[in-house]
């Protein structure tokens, strides 16, 4: 799900006000990395750009941010939330897997963990939540996004199936109140996944489902 999606903004509004800028910044970083991969025609060029980001994010732990808006925003709003630049740098590894000559099931699994899992885990640290289901939900979120971009129908179906299994795990019990903004973002991806698999609630039921999650954590 793109961070420009209105549903994404609604879901982030569930987060505590003090954490919203940091969460928005994390998703802005993910958007920047996504743009690199999706606009790259030469894998080597994409890898070089991702390497730059990996090194720049790692340096945030020991040096001031350079004159780059996303990096400066990370230094100001994300790093104070107990998230290291090194941990964020690992997100580039997930995106780099898509620059391989062939995307296979192992690539899909690595992408889910390194992109979605790490992103949601960083966000949960900012929110002060320690719950492994948050990272699992993030993996599902990333898998749904990937399923929309791979051209091989069998790989798209695999990504959807893996996402479904992760969502079943992630939403099997009540979510902590502080993490429900992330839960709502994952639920939006779950709705899209269900639609691709042949069944999804309509717009009104989607909003009602998000409101129920915000209220109860289920």
């Amino acid at each position: 799900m793109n961070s420009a999606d209105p549903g994404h903004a609604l879901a982030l509004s569930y987060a505590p006000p003090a954490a919203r800028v940091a969460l928005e910044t994390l998703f802005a970083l993910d958007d920047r990395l996504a743009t690199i991969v999706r606009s790259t025609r030469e894998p080597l060029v994409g890898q070089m750009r991702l390497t730059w980001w990996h090194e720049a994010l790692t340096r945030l732990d020991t040096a001031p941010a350079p004159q780059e808006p996303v990096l400066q925003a990370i230094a100001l709003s994300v790093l104070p939330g107990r998230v290291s630049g090194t941990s964020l740098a690992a997100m580039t590894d997930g995106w780099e897997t898509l620059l391989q000559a062939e995307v296979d099931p192992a690539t899909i699994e690595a992408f889910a963990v390194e992109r979605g899992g790490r992103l949601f885990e960083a966000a949960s640290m900012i929110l002060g939540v320690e719950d492994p289901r948050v990272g699992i939900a993030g993996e599902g979120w990333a898998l749904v996004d990937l399923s929309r971009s791979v051209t091989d129908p069998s790989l798209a179906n695999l990504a959807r199936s893996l996402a479904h299994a992760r969502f079943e795990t992630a939403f099997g019990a009540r979510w902590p109140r502080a993490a429900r903004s992330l839960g709502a973002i994952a639920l939006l991806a779950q709705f899209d996944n269900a639609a691709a698999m042949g069944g999804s609630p309509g717009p009104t039921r989607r909003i009602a489902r998000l409101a129920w999650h915000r209220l109860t954590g289920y």
Side-chain angles (χ1 to χ4, degrees), residues 4 10 17 23 33 63 78 96 104 106 114 119 127 129:
L10 174 63
L23 296 183
L33 300 178
V78 177
E96 189 172 352
D104 57 22
E114 298 295 338
L119 175 60
L127 295 167
V129 174

Side-chain angles (χ1 to χ4, degrees), residues 23 27 112-113 115-142 166-167 169-171 173-186 213:
L23 296 183
F27 283 98
V113 173
R115 180 209 178 182
R118 288 189 181 278
L119 175 60
F120 273 55
E121 286 167 3
S124 68
M125 288 186 68
I126 289 170
L127 295 167
V129 174
E130 295 185 10
D131 190 324
R133 291 176 302 148
V134 176
I136 293 170
E139 293 174 18
W141 169 84
R166 281 165 165 81
F167 290 139
T169 299
F171 294 109
R174 184 176 184 175
W175 273 53
R177 182 176 298 276
R180 291 176 192 173
S181 57
L182 299 176
I185 290 171
H213 179 71

